[in-house]
Amino acid sequence: SGQHRVPRAAAQLLAPVGDPQKVICVGLNYRDHCQEQAARVPEVPIIFSKFPSAIAGPFDDIVHPQDTSELDWEVELAAVIGKRGRHIQEAEALEHVLGFTVANDVSARDWQTRNGRQWLLGKTFDTFCPLGPAIVTREAVPDVHNLWIRCSVNGQRMQDSSTRHLIFGVPALIAWVSRFVTLVPGDILLTGTPAGVGFFRKPPVFLKRGDEVQCEIEELGTICNRVV
């Protein structure tokens, strides 16, 4: 209607899903990301998680923990579940998706490689999952597996790829995860990151306080977070 509008600058956008039951993540799910670290392409999805307390808004700050010196970025396509299901067939999986959004799977690499390489602690510090700027409904995205996906740090392009390089697409991931757990509305599925993370650069590059990280996906929008 055009009524009751406020300037964007006067509003703080929250994460489109703030307290999901589950935040499910996928590792090594882009072919170019496997290549940059000389890793074998997985035969089945590699699944880990973040706690919902890691979620931050699309323009909120990322808090640099004192406990890490290897803070890294990972732009990711995130699918938001809209329909409950278990043992979902791949052919019907997209019917369980409400829509898609942009995520940054912020990672403390030193903690990711400690404790027997259990990834959870390095992935789930508070503010380690900026999300947004909004959920774009599934029907509004003609082909989610053919979108450019990018990340810049302080204006320098670090990741520049396409979701067509996903090893396991969204339907395959939903079918796989739902073999083990019931997916419920609001659950978030982060689908993996492409090549260009800081950890595998030569020499490695890590985020420091004052850096600005911008993650963007075609059709879905942009999130931008400052490291503090």
Side-chain angles (χ1 to χ4, degrees):
S1 67
Q3 300 179 20
H4 311 296
R5 300 172 69 93
V6 297
R8 169 65 68 86
Q12 178 189 5
L13 285 184
L14 304 180
V17 181
D19 190 23
Q21 186 183 100
K22 295 184 284 294
V23 181
I24 303 163
C25 308
V26 186
L28 292 175
N29 198 32
Y30 277 78
R31 297 186 185 279
D32 53 4
H33 186 45
C34 292
Q35 292 169 358
E36 74 174 342
Q37 55 187 295
R40 180 179 298 179
V41 174
E43 296 182 4
V44 296
I46 297 173
I47 304 298
F48 62 98
S49 66
K50 289 177 177 280
F51 294 131
S53 54
I55 292 175
F59 305 107
D60 290 348
D61 292 336
I62 297 168
V63 178
H64 192 308
Q66 294 181 350
D67 296 288
T68 182
S69 59
E70 298 183 354
L71 192 67
D72 207 349
W73 58 85
E74 291 191 8
V75 61
E76 306 207 6
L77 167 72
V80 180
I81 299 299
K83 177 182 175 183
R84 182 185 182 93
R86 178 84 194 277
H87 298 296
I88 300 167
Q89 297 300 309
E90 188 170 336
E92 302 169 353
L94 286 179
E95 298 175 12
H96 291 260
V97 174
L98 171 65
F100 303 96
T101 193
V102 183
N104 185 354
D105 177 17
V106 182
S107 305
R109 299 299 189 187
D110 38 9
W111 282 99
Q112 187 179 349
T113 56
R114 295 176 187 171
N115 302 325
R117 299 184 67 84
Q118 299 179 63
W119 292 3
L120 178 63
L121 290 181
K123 293 285 191 174
T124 201
F125 283 88
D126 291 352
T127 72
F128 270 26
C129 189
L131 200 67
I135 298 171
V136 179
T137 59
R138 169 173 49 88
E139 294 80 5
V141 185
D143 185 2
V144 75
H145 300 106
N146 189 29
L147 304 175
W148 52 255
I149 177 170
R150 298 169 179 163
C151 178
S152 299
V153 178
N154 299 328
Q156 180 179 352
R157 185 70 49 78
M158 296 296 190
Q159 293 178 278
D160 192 347
S161 188
S162 170
T163 57
R164 67 176 179 270
H165 298 306
L166 281 164
I167 296 167
F168 302 101
V170 175
L173 293 173
I174 290 174
W176 176 259
V177 171
S178 70
R179 289 175 57 179
F180 307 95
V181 297
T182 299
L183 295 176
V184 301
D187 283 351
I188 299 170
L189 175 64
L190 273 61
T191 59
T193 198
V197 299
F199 190 57
F200 294 110
R201 292 179 173 269
K202 301 185 187 327
V205 178
F206 297 113
L207 294 170
K208 60 186 183 301
R209 292 174 182 86
D211 286 346
E212 186 176 85
V213 186
Q214 181 170 294
C215 297
E216 53 184 334
I217 301 177
E218 184 180 5
E219 304 288 347
L220 305 185
T222 302
I223 63 176
C224 188
N225 308 91
R226 186 170 178 266
V227 181
V228 300

